Amino acid sequence: MRSYNFVALIILKMKFQLDKNLHLPVISGLFLCLAWPPLPLVPFLFVALVPLFLMEKNIAESDKKDKASSVFRHSFLSFFIFNLFTIYWIYNASFFGAVVAVFLGSLLMSLPFVLYHRIKKLVSLKTALTAFVIFWLAYEYLHANWDLNFPWLMLGNGFANYHSWIQWYEYVGTYGGSLWVLVVNVIAFQLIIKIRNAAKQIRGHPYSHLLAPILQIVFIILLPILFSLTIYHQYEEKVNEANIVVVQPNIDPYGEKFGSMSAKDQLERLISLSKKAAKPNTEFFIWPETALTKNVDEDDIRNDSFIQEIKKFLLEYKNGNLITGASTYRSYPENVTTTARKYEDGNGFYDVFNTAIFLENSERIQLYHKSKLVPGVEQMPFPNALKFLGPLAIDLGGSMGSLGKEKKPVVFYAQSGIGVAPIICYESIYGEYVTDYVKQGAQLLFIITNDGWWGNTSGFKQHALYAKLRAIETRRSIARSANTGISSVINQRGDVLFETEWWTQASFAATLNLNDEITFYVKYGDWIPKLASIFAAITILAMLVRRFYIKLYPGK
């Protein structure tokens, strides 16, 4: 009973500290939640941050002593609501992982508002708002490129339900969508300030000068949409077909996949489902991540019984190629990597990988090791500093400890010369990373995943929707094979041509068009957040120098 009272006291204290502005961060958090996929209310994104700007304004004009701390607490509450109700599903795989993701995401999202509050004391409001946009884009880029990376909630991802609105992602990528959202929110906030000031006027026509900013907001929202719809309706794929079969075996990752169902039975299900949908001219069979649960020795892979069984199956299809996920390992005489584990008998070391294997009707076998590993699940963050914690990494792939990884993407090439990208699960949310496959010659994108870890939640739906963004950015057709969740095929405009239902065994044939053209985004990558990060670093450095100067020379 005392513990409940203690929690109640903490909540009451926090509520007291948040004071009368409490409703503003709550509204902002709820707007962000309502706008996020799979919910279809994306217009809320364009005003979701406005309540936080109003909150900051109220605090800045108050007589509070520690205003920056108050801005942080209110911002944190807003983003805690957003993170909690959009990525809650992580708890199905790891309660600790969910706690870290929610709190860390909330913390990082709050920092741009604190920096905005600080810099607003030094510059004009418009300049401070511009700095806020830069700070936010820099935060998103940081969170996608450090060891605790989790770019799931980038604002630009929020348009995944409305892909016809964002065809211009082929030029700017997902960060362009984030910039769009930020700019509209900033202008909407400025409009509200003007409306407040106009309402204080007694004579004349106080609202007559508001027409221009209103039209500005409408213009900034509608112009990108109209431009996108024009691209969407005019875009035509060149007919260059590849025949594929996608398999969804629907094996429970908790009860069956690494437990009660034998690896042999799982292989037989995959082959059986493949045969049901296959045609004599099928070129690619796509199986999900870790479809082969038996650990495969890469040093002796051609003699592996499962690999031989798959090769036997492929003999029935003259042009057949198969991509499958597997758990593999590689041995070393010495400890040559930061992720290598020592054999129990002390004779040598080995790495375990989350691997994509490409098989064909020849002796050639192509391998790719997942590179974008899930922090805390597939790798221990900051391995050099925290190597002693490696064995604590969560087991979600048939092995314990941090996995080994590839240094860069690898494209698989069929004997026909077709290049395909083996994108493994989490990697599909990294726009610029996927462009590296295309630069190496990938004409199709194959996403293999296992979304069953998250249960029947919004998690697997969000993951499936984000694939549409990669199709638009690269103008590549996508085939997506999930162990369970949503398996689908997506064309170069981001249209979902076909998708499976949750928790069903399925296999289906489809025809996708190849593409060799390189988009502006593929060529230049995440140029928007990179520029923003440079400006953010310069701005923060200038703020620090100014603060140091004032301490040295307080009278100047």
Side-chain angles (χ1 to χ4, degrees):
M1 191 67 183
R2 290 181 179 178
S3 61
Y4 289 114
N5 291 334
F6 178 70
V7 172
L9 286 172
I10 292 177
I11 295 173
L12 287 172
K13 184 177 179 181
M14 184 177 181
K15 184 176 180 180
F16 175 76
Q17 291 177 333
L18 292 171
D19 58 57
K20 63 181 181 181
N21 290 305
L22 177 64
H23 66 289
L24 292 172
V26 171
I27 291 172
S28 183
L30 293 177
F31 277 7
L32 287 166
C33 293
L34 291 172
W36 210 254
L39 296 178
L41 303 175
V42 74
F44 278 108
L45 272 182
F46 293 122
V47 294
L49 300 180
V50 172
L52 289 181
F53 286 123
L54 293 173
M55 169 273 297
E56 189 282 332
K57 185 175 185 299
N58 292 342
I59 291 175
E61 295 173 352
S62 70
D63 56 358
K64 287 179 177 292
K65 292 183 179 180
D66 192 357
K67 296 179 181 180
S69 177
S70 184
V71 169
F72 171 76
R73 289 196 301 272
H74 285 79
S75 301
F76 186 89
L77 173 62
S78 178
F79 296 124
F80 179 80
I81 293 171
F82 176 41
N83 280 264
L84 180 64
F85 288 102
T86 50
I87 59 173
Y88 66 92
W89 41 264
I90 297 175
Y91 83 90
N92 280 322
S94 165
F95 177 77
F96 177 73
V99 171
V100 172
V102 169
F103 275 88
L104 182 60
S106 305
L107 170 64
L108 293 176
M109 288 179 178
S110 302
L111 293 181
F113 273 95
V114 175
L115 290 171
Y116 160 70
H117 171 75
R118 292 284 192 184
I119 200 171
K120 202 178 72 165
K121 300 176 183 178
L122 310 175
V123 297
S124 68
L125 177 61
K126 287 186 178 180
T127 303
L129 288 170
T130 301
F132 168 78
V133 172
I134 291 172
F135 291 146
W136 186 281
L137 292 172
Y139 134 70
E140 286 194 346
Y141 189 65
L142 164 70
H143 203 26
N145 290 281
W146 67 325
D147 275 17
L148 292 173
N149 57 81
F150 190 70
W152 202 275
L153 296 182
M154 288 169 48
L155 293 176
N157 287 341
F159 295 100
N161 260 328
Y162 290 80
H163 66 280
S164 62
W165 290 14
I166 51 168
Q167 295 294 306
W168 38 269
Y169 275 21
E170 68 170 292
Y171 300 102
V172 296
T174 309
Y175 290 100
S178 296
L179 178 60
W180 187 28
V181 170
L182 293 168
V183 169
V184 174
N185 273 275
V186 163
I187 296 175
F189 167 63
Q190 291 176 300
L191 176 61
I192 290 176
I193 297 303
K194 289 182 179 180
I195 291 174
R196 280 184 172 183
N197 293 336
K200 296 177 182 179
Q201 298 181 19
I202 300 175
R203 299 177 181 178
H205 301 283
Y207 299 103
S208 59
H209 66 293
L210 299 179
L211 180 61
I214 291 174
L215 290 176
Q216 187 180 19
I217 291 179
V218 172
F219 179 79
I220 291 177
I221 292 176
L222 290 183
L223 184 62
I225 294 175
L226 293 174
F227 177 58
S228 179
L229 291 174
T230 301
I231 298 174
Y232 179 79
H233 291 293
Q234 291 183 352
Y235 187 85
E236 292 184 6
E237 296 185 12
K238 295 179 181 178
V239 178
N240 189 5
E241 297 179 343
N243 300 299
I244 67 168
V245 166
V246 176
V247 177
Q248 178 171 296
N250 195 51
I251 299 170
D252 182 359
Y254 290 105
E256 296 178 319
K257 193 165 186 63
F258 300 103
S260 62
M261 189 174 183
S262 72
K264 183 178 179 181
D265 288 342
Q266 294 182 46
L267 177 62
E268 289 176 354
R269 179 181 294 186
L270 289 160
I271 292 176
S272 175
L273 288 169
S274 299
K275 288 182 177 180
K276 287 181 180 179
K279 300 176 182 178
N281 63 342
T282 296
E283 296 174 79
F284 297 99
F285 294 90
I286 306 150
W287 293 358
E289 177 187 20
T290 58
L292 304 184
T293 55
K294 172 193 172 186
N295 290 331
V296 177
D297 182 358
E298 293 186 6
D299 298 322
D300 193 32
I301 192 169
R302 287 180 176 81
N303 294 320
D304 185 270
S305 60
F306 281 19
I307 298 299
Q308 291 179 345
E309 192 69 23
I310 295 172
K311 301 274 281 184
K312 181 180 177 181
F313 156 70
L314 282 178
L315 290 174
E316 301 178 31
Y317 307 94
K318 181 180 178 181
N319 300 316
N321 306 273
L322 186 143
I323 179 173
T324 181
S327 179
T328 67
Y329 67 95
R330 179 183 295 170
S331 300
Y332 317 111
E334 299 177 353
N335 188 356
V336 295
T337 69
T338 59
T339 54
R341 309 122 186 255
K342 194 171 185 178
Y343 279 109
E344 292 183 0
D345 61 7
N347 295 323
F349 298 81
Y350 69 99
D351 260 322
V352 177
F353 305 97
N354 187 342
T355 305
I357 302 177
F358 192 78
L359 302 170
E360 59 188 15
N361 283 311
S362 75
E363 289 298 311
R364 184 174 61 160
I365 298 176
Q366 300 175 65
L367 301 176
Y368 164 68
H369 303 132
K370 185 179 180 182
S371 178
K372 292 289 187 180
L373 301 175
V374 182
V377 174
E378 295 175 316
Q379 72 169 355
M380 182 59 62
F382 313 109
N384 291 327
L386 303 177
K387 188 175 181 179
F388 67 98
L389 295 177
L392 299 182
I394 302 162
D395 179 12
L396 288 184
S399 61
M400 290 295 290
S402 297
L403 301 181
K405 62 181 180 180
E406 205 78 45
K407 292 183 179 180
K408 62 180 182 179
V410 173
V411 173
F412 292 155
Y413 283 94
Q415 288 179 302
S416 62
I418 298 174
V420 300
I423 304 167
I424 305 176
C425 190
Y426 190 57
E427 295 178 328
S428 66
I429 65 173
Y430 292 87
E432 189 173 55
Y433 186 78
V434 172
T435 67
D436 288 339
Y437 289 105
V438 178
K439 290 176 182 176
Q440 294 183 50
Q443 298 159 289
L444 292 171
L445 306 182
F446 292 163
I447 299 174
I448 59 176
T449 185
N450 183 8
D451 295 344
W453 299 114
W454 311 325
N456 189 8
T457 65
S458 59
F460 77 90
K461 297 174 184 176
Q462 292 168 359
H463 196 204
L465 286 168
Y466 292 169
K468 299 196 294 182
L469 307 180
R470 308 290 85 82
I472 296 169
E473 291 167 345
T474 63
R475 294 302 180 191
R476 293 297 186 271
S477 300
I478 293 177
R480 189 176 192 276
S481 172
N483 171 53
T484 193
I486 296 177
S487 298
S488 60
V489 285
I490 303 169
N491 68 13
Q492 295 166 22
R493 298 192 308 178
D495 300 321
V496 178
L497 304 178
F498 180 82
E499 65 181 17
T500 60
E501 296 181 357
W502 165 260
W503 212 257
T504 58
Q505 284 187 40
S507 61
F508 60 90
T511 300
L512 295 178
N513 286 317
L514 310 178
N515 189 16
D516 291 315
E517 295 180 359
I518 300 296
T519 66
F520 186 92
Y521 178 69
V522 168
K523 188 173 182 180
Y524 295 103
D526 291 327
W527 58 276
I528 289 178
K530 289 175 183 176
L531 286 175
S533 298
I534 293 172
F535 286 124
I538 293 172
T539 303
I540 293 172
L541 180 61
M543 292 171 64
L544 293 174
V545 169
R546 185 182 185 278
R547 186 174 182 179
F548 180 72
Y549 181 83
I550 291 174
K551 284 186 176 181
L552 285 178
Y553 306 101
K556 295 185 179 180

